[in-house]
């Protein structure tokens, strides 16, 4: 059963009078529970593809299905609802709300989903403990290291049991040791919770962890490798 | 949590928040202070006018207002007295008066004046007559030879207490009537013109001078406390009186009797609104600027929130909540300062330093600033309502940020 189906998707950006083809007819499928990396050099279209799968952007052509539902052509509020309930995001940096504590950051998504306060708090504490942040629940982002902040982001991404987690170069701003720890944790989440992970990366270490690597080049799938 | 987030966001840049808070506080404070001063001036003008023999309501012959001559009098005052004794709200007071134009003279001078025949027991509660004695004493019941005049008139006649003053007028038979009265006392009024215009004798003396038996010119009514300041308060009383009043008489409010004053007070109300608007516009620029800066420097954050699934409407709500926090703090402090300022001047502001100017505007010598609950509500509603309205611009701007743009 596929979690993601991308069919003949193109994305063209206008830069002044110049049209930039970020994706040029990409088709691929990602099954439920995969731990998959979109790899490729800068400008190959991996972040664009991740944004399109996450409903953050709309394709110029083609169709995208998430959990068998088509998301192309949906309204902004419908897309927001899908992002809230089906997708967890981890970004490269600046990805947690600076005025909220680690626990509040994790709770915030559940607040928007309408989860009752007590349940929110319990689930947030449990998932923070799970990502190795026991005892740091009430720290603000400024009081956490980069690696710890990314762990908060992972906790926030998985706390509401999304169908899929999209991570855009999650280790780019971390040292190799911290990055490895984070990847081990995400791999464990993938195994234990059967959450589908899709990374965009050009980090060798992330590719080593991935079960499947989809290499993009010039907006097209150039090569696929399944381990 | 939304409130916590808004609260913490507001204090992310304490210096900027402090500056806009000072602007809101000063705005609310000056609005309240100006409003209180304007209300004080309006109340002083109204009180001064009501005290100058107008009262809240007068029962008159319908022709008296146009031509206050002795012919246009109340010829049968007994039913009116009976009506006023039972139909007025509790705490009201009333009295009959005889009023006629005339001339006062002594060996040195003669001057046109208005002769006012009063009930010495009831009049002190109705007009300035009761609490403005400058020299001597007030009239006593049965003192049909006594006269009270303004200090300025006494000075112009170069006379003194105990001396005689002759009053001359036209009686009910259109014959000239005159009589000498002994000066018992003088009064001080807010305006010199009032001191020179009115002389007071007893009701009986005036009736005798004019030859009108027990007839009177009018009945003057004062309603209790601060009631009777607008139509809504006056109309029910007037309607109740009119229902039972003899057909040949009419009940007029101070608004009917002093239309110019009503217009002047209305103008003050409009000035107040204008002042609110001027202060608010100055404040709004600061508010929009602050909120816009707060939004623009958090572009990535708003992008992140949208990526997480926040709808544009929720982002608008979040920004407005931050705006609300600023407005509530600013209004709280501004109201406190405003109320303290009003309390500080609750003893009244002495306007005698601008006596001629204040006399021109019909102002009393003492202006006591005050605000009504409605004023407090309108100041806060203006700042809160328009404040949130202008914050919509940065809020919509924040809602328009797309995650892809923000994250790049």
């Amino acid at each position: 059963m596929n979690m993601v189906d991308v069919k003949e998707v193109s994305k063209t950006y206008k830069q002044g009078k110049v049209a930039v083809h970020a994706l040029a007819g990409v088709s691929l499928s990602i099954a439920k529970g995969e731990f998959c990396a979109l790899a490729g050099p800068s400008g190959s279209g991996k972040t664009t593809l991740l944004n399109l799968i996450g409903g953050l952007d709309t394709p110029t052509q083609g169709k995208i299905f998430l959990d068998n539902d088509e998301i192309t052509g949906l309204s902004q509020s419908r897309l927001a609802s899908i992002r809230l309930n089906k997708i967890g995001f981890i970004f490269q940096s600046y990805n947690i709300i600076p005025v909220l504590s680690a626990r509040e950051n994790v709770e915030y998504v559940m607040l928007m989903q309408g989860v009752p306060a007590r349940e929110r708090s319990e689930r947030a504490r449990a998932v923070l403990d799970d990502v190795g942040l026991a005892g740091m629940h009430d720290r603000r982002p400024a009081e956490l290291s980069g690696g710890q902040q990314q762990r908060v982001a992972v906790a926030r991404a998985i706390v509401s049991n999304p169908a899929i987690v999209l991570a855009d170069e999650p280790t780019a701003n971390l040292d190799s040791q911290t990055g490895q720890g984070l990847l081990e944790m995400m791999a464990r989440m993938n195994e234990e919770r059967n959450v589908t992970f899709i990374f965009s990366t050009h980090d060798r270490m992330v590719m080593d962890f991935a079960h499947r690597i989809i290499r993009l080049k010039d907006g097209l799938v150039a090569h696929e490798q399944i381990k | 949590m939304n409130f916590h987030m808004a609260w913490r966001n507001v204090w992310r840049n304490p210096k900027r928040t402090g500056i806009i808070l000072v602007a809101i506080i000063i705005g609310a404070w000056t609005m309240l202070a100006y409003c209180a001063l304007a209300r004080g001036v309006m109340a002083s003008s109204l009180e001064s006018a009501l005290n100058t023999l107008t009262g809240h309501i007068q029962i008159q012959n319908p022709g008296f207002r146009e031509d206050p001559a002795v012919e246009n009098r109340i010829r049968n005052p007994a039913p009116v007295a009976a009506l006023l004794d039972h139909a007025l709200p509790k705490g009201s007071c009333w009295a009959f008066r005889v009023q006629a134009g005339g001339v006062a003279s002594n060996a040195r001078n003669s001057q046109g004046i208005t002769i006012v025949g009063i009930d010495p027991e009831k009049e002190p509660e109705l007009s300035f007559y009761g609490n403005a004695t400058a020299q001597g004493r007030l009239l006593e019941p049965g003192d049909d030879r006594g006269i009270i005049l303004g200090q300025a008139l006494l000075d112009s006649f170069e006379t003194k207490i105990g001396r005689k003053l002759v009053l001359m007028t036209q009686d009910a038979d259109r014959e000239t009537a005159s009589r000498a009265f002994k000066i018992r006392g003088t009064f001080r009024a807010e305006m010199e013109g009032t001191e020179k215009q009115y002389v007071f004798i007893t009701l009986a003396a005036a009736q005798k001078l004019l030859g009108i038996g027990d007839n009177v010119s009018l009945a003057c009514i004062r309603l209790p406390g601060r009631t009777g300041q607008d139509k809504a308060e006056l109309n029910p009383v007037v309607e109740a009186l009119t229902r039972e009043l003899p057909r040949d008489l009419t009940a007029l409010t101070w608004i009917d009797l002093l239309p110019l004053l009503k217009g002047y007070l209305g103008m003050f109300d409009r000035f107040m609104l204008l002042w609110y608007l001027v202060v608010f516009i100055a404040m709004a620029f600061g508010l929009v600027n602050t909120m816009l800066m707060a939004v623009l420097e958090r572009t990535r954050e708003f992008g992140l929130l949208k990526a997480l699934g926040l709808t544009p409407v929720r982002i608008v709500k979040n920004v407005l909540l931050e705006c609300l926090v600023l407005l509530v703090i600013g209004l709280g402090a501004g109201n406190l300062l405003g109320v303290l300022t009003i309390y500080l001047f609750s003893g009244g502001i002495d306007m005698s330093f601008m006596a001629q100017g204040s006399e021109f505007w019909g102002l009393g010598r003492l202006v006591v600033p005050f605000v009504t609950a409605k004023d407090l509500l309108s100041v806060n509603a203006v700042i809160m309502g328009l404040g949130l309205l202008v914050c919509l611009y940065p809020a919509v701007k924040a809602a328009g940020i797309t995650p892809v743009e923000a994250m790049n």
Side-chain angles (χ1 to χ4, degrees):
Chain A
M1 187 180 166
N2 287 340
M3 177 53 66
V4 176
D5 279 306
V6 176
K7 293 184 177 171
E8 293 295 320
V9 164
S10 303
K11 179 68 185 178
T12 305
Y13 292 109
K14 289 265 182 191
Q15 285 186 344
K17 288 180 179 173
V18 183
V20 179
H21 302 288
L23 293 175
V26 172
S27 293
L28 57 87
S29 296
I30 295 167
K32 188 171 172 58
E34 274 200 61
F35 200 70
C36 168
L38 301 173
S42 292
S44 60
K46 52 190 190 301
T47 298
T48 302
L49 184 57
L50 206 69
N51 287 341
L52 292 175
I53 293 169
L56 297 176
D57 208 352
T58 49
T60 314
Q61 271 189 331
K63 289 180 177 180
I64 297 169
F65 294 83
L66 192 71
D67 211 7
N68 292 323
D69 293 325
E70 188 180 348
I71 62 165
T72 34
L74 292 181
S75 67
Q76 283 303 312
S77 59
R78 186 77 193 96
L79 283 173
S81 169
I82 288 172
R83 288 198 296 268
L84 178 63
N85 296 298
K86 285 195 170 179
I87 307 171
F89 284 98
I90 302 165
F91 297 100
Q92 187 177 330
S93 58
Y94 300 104
N95 54 6
I96 53 179
I97 302 161
V99 292
L100 299 182
S101 68
R103 181 178 54 77
E104 288 168 333
N105 260 286
V106 177
E107 276 192 44
Y108 196 67
V109 174
M110 291 186 281
L111 172 79
M112 289 189 286
Q113 288 173 330
V115 177
R118 178 177 287 202
E119 187 187 337
R120 274 201 320 257
S121 178
E122 284 168 4
R123 279 168 60 181
R125 285 174 196 281
V127 78
L128 280 169
D129 289 348
D130 210 10
V131 298
L133 290 174
M136 297 181 196
H137 298 181
D138 294 322
R139 287 197 192 172
R140 297 267 185 98
E143 299 163 330
L144 296 170
S145 69
Q148 288 166 336
Q149 287 189 39
Q150 278 302 53
R151 281 169 187 267
V152 175
V154 173
R156 183 186 60 201
I158 60 171
V159 71
S160 52
N161 299 319
I164 187 168
V165 171
L166 304 175
D168 186 12
E169 309 211 21
T171 55
N173 286 347
L174 305 176
D175 60 70
S176 59
Q177 199 180 345
T178 311
Q180 171 134 6
L182 191 79
L183 285 166
E184 282 168 359
M185 186 197 71
M186 288 196 275
R188 184 166 55 82
M189 297 289 156
N190 170 249
E191 272 175 35
E192 289 174 1
R193 297 176 182 238
N194 198 31
V195 180
T196 309
F197 276 82
I198 304 176
F199 301 90
S200 86
T201 188
H202 44 222
D203 184 345
R204 186 75 249 168
M205 191 165 55
V206 177
M207 289 181 239
D208 289 343
F209 267 87
H211 303 153
R212 180 183 171 195
I213 302 167
I214 300 166
R215 289 188 188 277
L216 297 174
K217 192 178 177 188
D218 299 331
L220 285 166
V221 176
H223 180 255
E224 278 197 52
Q225 180 190 350
I226 298 172
K227 294 180 192 169
Chain B
M1 193 189 293
N2 281 326
F3 174 77
H4 281 138
M5 198 161 129
W7 176 263
R8 289 172 196 168
N9 276 327
V10 161
W11 296 109
R12 274 167 93 161
N13 190 331
K15 200 183 276 181
R16 192 172 59 206
T17 297
I19 290 170
I20 187 58
L21 277 180
V22 166
I24 298 171
I25 290 167
I26 291 177
W29 177 33
T30 52
M31 274 189 190
L32 269 181
Y34 177 78
C35 177
L37 184 68
R39 284 269 172 250
V41 166
M42 287 160 80
S44 172
S45 302
L46 179 59
E47 192 56 27
S48 176
L50 296 180
N51 261 341
T52 310
L53 305 180
T54 307
H56 286 115
I57 300 168
Q58 287 189 9
I59 309 287
Q60 297 179 354
N61 179 309
F64 186 79
R65 191 174 155 210
E66 290 294 315
D67 179 15
V70 69
E71 292 79 22
N72 295 320
R73 61 186 186 269
I74 300 173
R75 291 169 193 273
N76 185 13
V80 177
L83 172 65
L84 295 180
D85 277 339
H86 80 265
L88 292 177
K90 201 179 171 189
S92 306
C93 49
W94 70 273
F96 283 130
R97 282 193 202 127
V98 167
Q99 217 164 297
V103 174
S105 58
N106 68 358
R108 295 178 186 277
N109 199 0
S110 67
Q111 197 166 317
I113 43 91
T114 300
I115 302 163
V116 187
I118 54 158
D119 180 336
E121 283 183 315
K122 287 182 159 183
E123 189 62 35
E125 295 173 8
L126 282 176
S127 63
F128 67 85
Y129 169 82
N131 48 20
T133 311
Q135 290 184 61
R137 59 171 175 80
L138 295 177
L139 294 172
E140 285 170 2
D143 182 7
D144 294 346
R145 283 281 172 193
I147 186 167
I148 305 290
L149 57 153
Q151 185 63 40
L153 193 66
L154 186 94
D155 294 342
S156 76
F157 277 98
E158 296 175 29
T159 184
K160 58 184 183 183
I161 307 292
R163 294 264 175 92
K164 280 188 179 171
L165 193 70
V166 176
L167 296 185
M168 194 162 62
T169 185
Q170 195 178 55
D171 66 13
D173 300 326
R174 299 186 177 228
E175 297 292 333
T176 301
S178 65
R179 194 174 175 192
F181 292 85
K182 197 172 261 186
I183 301 169
R184 306 283 189 222
T186 62
F187 64 83
R188 278 266 182 224
E190 298 286 1
M191 287 175 273
E192 196 181 280
T194 308
E195 290 180 15
K196 285 185 172 173
Q197 187 182 352
Y198 296 104
V199 298
F200 295 93
I201 57 176
T202 64
L203 194 66
Q207 286 166 332
K208 195 171 172 186
L209 181 67
L210 294 170
I212 55 173
D214 68 345
N215 294 182
V216 294
S217 302
L218 57 96
C220 180
I221 300 162
R222 274 308 281 261
L223 298 176
R226 274 201 171 136
T227 54
Q229 307 229 345
D230 56 35
K231 274 188 175 171
E233 290 171 339
L234 290 165
N235 280 352
V237 184
V238 170
E239 280 164 18
L241 290 175
T242 307
R243 271 196 298 274
E244 295 185 50
L245 213 55
R247 282 174 178 269
D248 61 339
L249 297 179
T250 183
L252 299 171
T253 65
W254 67 264
I255 297 169
D256 305 316
L257 296 163
L258 304 168
L260 204 65
L261 178 68
K262 180 65 187 165
Y264 163 64
L265 297 181
M267 190 179 73
F268 247 102
D269 263 336
R270 284 188 286 279
F271 271 144
M272 257 197 292
L273 210 66
L274 201 68
W275 176 251
Y276 288 175
L277 217 65
V278 168
V279 172
F280 180 77
I281 287 169
M283 200 166 66
F285 276 107
L287 196 61
V288 170
N289 199 26
T290 302
M291 291 310 293
L292 207 56
M293 281 168 72
V295 162
L296 292 180
E297 71 183 20
R298 280 154 55 202
T299 301
R300 293 189 74 102
E301 219 171 292
F302 285 114
L304 170 71
L305 290 173
K306 280 188 98 172
L308 292 180
L310 234 73
T311 58
V313 172
R314 285 194 81 146
I315 289 187
V316 167
K317 279 185 189 170
N318 281 3
V319 176
L320 288 184
L321 192 60
E322 288 175 28
C323 199
L324 187 74
V325 168
L326 281 173
L327 288 167
V328 167
I329 299 171
L331 278 177
N335 279 324
L336 193 72
L337 265 179
V339 170
L340 274 176
T341 307
I342 295 165
Y343 177 74
L344 208 68
F345 289 102
S346 58
I349 301 167
D350 187 359
M351 307 295 276
S352 54
F353 68 95
M354 43 181 277
Q356 281 188 323
S358 62
E359 185 171 323
F360 175 77
W361 290 105
L363 258 181
R365 288 189 181 124
L366 204 66
V367 168
V368 182
F370 72 96
V371 282
T372 61
K374 196 176 151 193
D375 292 328
L376 264 175
L377 202 71
S378 56
V379 164
N380 286 287
V382 163
I383 297 180
M384 184 63 82
L386 294 182
L388 288 175
L389 199 69
V390 296
C391 280
L392 264 180
Y393 173 62
V396 168
K397 198 111 179 145
I401 293 169
T402 65
V404 173
E405 278 169 4
M407 298 296 178
N408 284 335

